């Protein structure tokens, strides 16, 4: 008899979801990966086949903005890892281009999962839902108790993640949720190895350094985490009874972009090790949309606590050097520069 439980992982073409799928397949689960367009299936399957046995992997076509296919996609699933959400590397013209699919996609995943009797949904939210905007909060590092203030000037992506996560928790208060459980993963900036030649917006940090797109590093700090730890956290949050109803902040200590660059330099990459004055960054931001996205946080470090990640999920996160260098090595390997 086939005892393998099935997990729907949305956004299978994405950087994080591919690692979540590898983890689940290695742990003996059956995985249904969702893609927005069936054209992507062969590329995703071939990429994953280089890293694990894909005989228990199948695909479905789903869009965050449409009900089509969701009932069939969750049918027979024990768990859902809802990872898909728009993550562009520049600010959209209209914030609803991000907010609407993020919120509707999360609610669609929750609604169809509950109707199909799924035990637990693991939602990929973000540190964006925790640590941004003007907040009245206790001093000390940000924790899972904190919420981003969506009424502040925080940009469309950050807003989309906070609104989508809030909508998911609100859904859990309704009768429609039934016995289904929710766990939420809130990663900081995600680095670590690519599995093919595609990367997500967080890869831009390492990519810009390797390409020497700037003579020196903007004074921008990120709390970062390795993608392999993110995948492990999705898995542990899915199976551990004590993870139900909890959020988990995933990051190591906040580090400056120049720290990433120095780690790369130490490992043989020709990356800049000086800091770019803030006025220069603001100037570059006029022309470079990716820099514009982060320039509002110039000179700011955000302290975070990862105690729950270590204590509840029992994950000791990889360090900055490991996640930076492994990403750079994979970008070279897959010619993703
Ligand atoms: P990617 O851009 O690599 O992945 C995003 C995925 O979402 C893609 O598979 C994309 O599909 C899918 N998607 C976007 N819009 C739609 C839509 N309308 N319908 C169906 N699918 C859609 O980014 P990541 O892997 O980095 O991000 C995955 C998740 O992790 C997101 O929720 C993101 O917000 C979150 N996150 C990421 C962090 C990071 O630093 N990378 C940090 C914190 C959270 P397609 O390939 O078709 O575009």
């Amino acid at each position: 008899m086939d005892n393998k439980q099935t997990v729907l992982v949305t956004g299978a073409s994405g950087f994080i979801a591919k690692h979540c799928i590898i983890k689940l397949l290695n742990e003996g689960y059956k995985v249904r990966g969702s893609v927005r367009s069936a054209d992507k299936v062969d590329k995703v399957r071939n990429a994953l086949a280089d890293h694990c046995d894909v005989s228990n992997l199948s695909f479905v076509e789903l869009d965050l903005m449409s009900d089509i296919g969701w009932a069939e996609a969750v049918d027979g699933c024990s768990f859902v890892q809802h990872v898909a959400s728009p993550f562009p590397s520049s600010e959209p013209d209209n914030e609803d281009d991000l907010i609407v699919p993020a919120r509707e996609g999360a609610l669609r995943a929750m609604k169809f999962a509950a109707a199909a009797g799924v035990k637990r949904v693991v939602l990929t939210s973000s540190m964006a839902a925790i640590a941004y905007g003007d907040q009245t909060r206790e001093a000390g590092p940000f924790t899972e108790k904190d919420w981003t203030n969506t009424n502040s000037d925080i940009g469309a992506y950050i807003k989309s993640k906070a609104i989508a996560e809030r909508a998911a928790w609100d859904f859990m208060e309704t009768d429609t949720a039934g016995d289904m459980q929710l766990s939420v993963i809130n990663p900081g900036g995600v680095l670590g190895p690519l599995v093919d030649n595609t990367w997500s917006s967080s890869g831009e940090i390492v990519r810009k350094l390797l390409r020497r797109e700037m003579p020196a590093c903007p004074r921008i700090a990120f709390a970062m985490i390795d993608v392999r730890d993110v995948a492990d956290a999705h898995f542990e949050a899915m199976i551990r009874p004590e993870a139900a109803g909890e959020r988990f902040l995933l990051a190591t200590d906040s580090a400056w972009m120049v720290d990433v660059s120095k780690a790369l330099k130490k490992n043989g990459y020709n990356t800049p090790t000086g800091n770019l004055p803030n006025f220069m960054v603001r100037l570059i931001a006029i022309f470079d949309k990716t820099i514009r996205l982060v320039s509002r946080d110039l000179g700011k470090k955000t302290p975070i606590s990862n105690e729950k990640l270590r204590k509840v999920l029992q994950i000791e996160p990889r360090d900055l050097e490991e996640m930076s260098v492994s990403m750079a090595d994979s970008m070279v390997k897959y010619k993703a520069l």
Side-chain angles (χ1 to χ4, degrees):
M1 201 179 96
D2 185 2
N3 286 324
K4 292 193 178 79
Q5 292 184 296
T6 304
V7 184
L8 170 69
V9 180
T10 63
S13 55
F15 172 48
I16 293 175
K18 285 192 202 114
H19 281 272
C20 292
I21 292 172
I22 292 170
K23 172 73 181 172
L24 287 163
L25 291 173
N26 285 340
E27 293 288 342
Y29 286 76
K30 282 186 174 176
V31 176
R32 232 171 254 169
S34 87
V35 284
R36 206 189 318 208
S37 151
D39 298 348
K40 294 205 170 167
V41 166
D42 286 347
K43 184 165 192 264
V44 175
R45 189 198 301 279
N46 291 339
L48 293 171
D50 282 344
H51 301 270
C52 62
D53 173 5
V54 292
S55 49
N56 284 316
L57 173 65
S58 60
F59 289 92
V60 287
E61 214 176 317
L62 293 178
D63 196 298
L64 299 176
M65 296 292 283
S66 160
D67 279 344
I68 296 170
W70 282 87
E72 297 77 13
V74 291
D75 186 38
C77 287
S78 303
F79 303 102
V80 172
Q81 295 191 356
H82 178 57
V83 188
S85 203
F87 187 20
S89 56
S90 59
E91 198 66 15
D93 293 335
N94 182 346
E95 65 175 18
D96 279 345
D97 292 350
L98 300 191
I99 294 170
V100 175
R103 184 185 56 222
E104 286 201 12
L107 286 174
R108 217 160 242 126
M110 303 286 292
K111 183 180 82 176
F112 281 98
V118 163
K119 290 185 218 167
R120 190 179 296 181
V121 172
V122 179
L123 173 75
T124 318
S125 181
S126 170
M127 183 178 146
I130 289 182
Y132 291 82
D134 308 323
Q135 303 181 27
T136 312
R137 52 184 293 279
E138 310 259 316
F142 280 90
T143 71
E144 291 81 355
K145 292 196 178 84
D146 296 306
W147 274 93
T148 286
N149 178 354
T150 51
N151 294 320
S152 308
D153 176 25
I154 49 175
Y157 173 70
I158 291 175
K159 213 167 172 181
S160 78
K161 295 306 289 181
I163 288 174
E165 188 191 331
R166 186 66 89 179
W169 286 118
D170 288 347
F171 176 86
M172 291 303 290
E173 300 297 316
T174 66
D175 291 343
T176 322
D179 295 333
M180 191 177 75
Q181 298 171 333
L182 174 65
S183 293
V184 173
I185 302 297
N186 301 80
V190 182
L191 303 185
L194 310 179
V195 302
D196 60 12
N197 65 352
T198 56
W199 69 95
S200 96
S201 298
S202 53
E204 286 292 341
I205 306 162
V206 170
R207 190 165 166 272
K208 276 192 183 306
L209 290 170
L210 294 181
R211 286 164 61 95
R212 284 196 77 102
E213 285 185 15
M214 284 164 299
C217 300
R219 275 182 59 76
I220 305 166
F222 305 92
M224 286 173 279
I225 185 84
D226 191 292
V227 67
R228 293 162 290 185
D229 296 325
V230 178
D232 288 353
H234 279 73
F235 182 75
E236 297 298 333
M238 183 181 95
I239 59 165
R240 286 180 182 270
E242 63 275 28
E246 300 289 338
R247 319 166 81 193
F248 296 95
L249 187 46
L250 265 56
T252 54
D253 286 341
S254 186
W256 298 107
M257 189 163 172
V258 76
D259 299 328
V260 175
S261 201
K262 283 178 180 165
L264 295 175
K265 180 101 179 172
K266 187 177 150 202
N267 285 273
Y269 289 99
N270 179 23
T271 48
T273 51
N275 274 308
L276 203 59
N278 289 354
F279 79 90
M280 286 277 284
V281 181
R282 293 199 180 93
L283 209 62
I284 296 172
I286 297 171
F287 308 103
D288 186 321
K289 284 177 151 188
T290 313
I291 297 294
R292 200 179 310 156
L293 197 64
V294 288
S295 63
R296 57 161 65 84
D297 293 326
L298 274 179
K300 210 164 80 184
K301 244 186 178 182
T302 307
I304 64 103
S305 163
N306 58 20
E307 198 179 324
K308 265 177 95 176
L309 168 68
R310 290 185 286 105
K311 297 265 166 69
V312 181
L313 300 184
Q314 301 273 310
I315 293 171
E316 206 49 58
R318 291 167 173 84
D319 67 19
L320 186 72
E321 183 170 342
E322 165 70 23
M323 65 179 101
S324 307
V325 175
S326 61
M327 181 171 245
D329 291 349
S330 67
M331 285 181 161
V332 172
K333 177 176 174 189
Y334 295 113
K335 300 186 173 53
L337 288 171

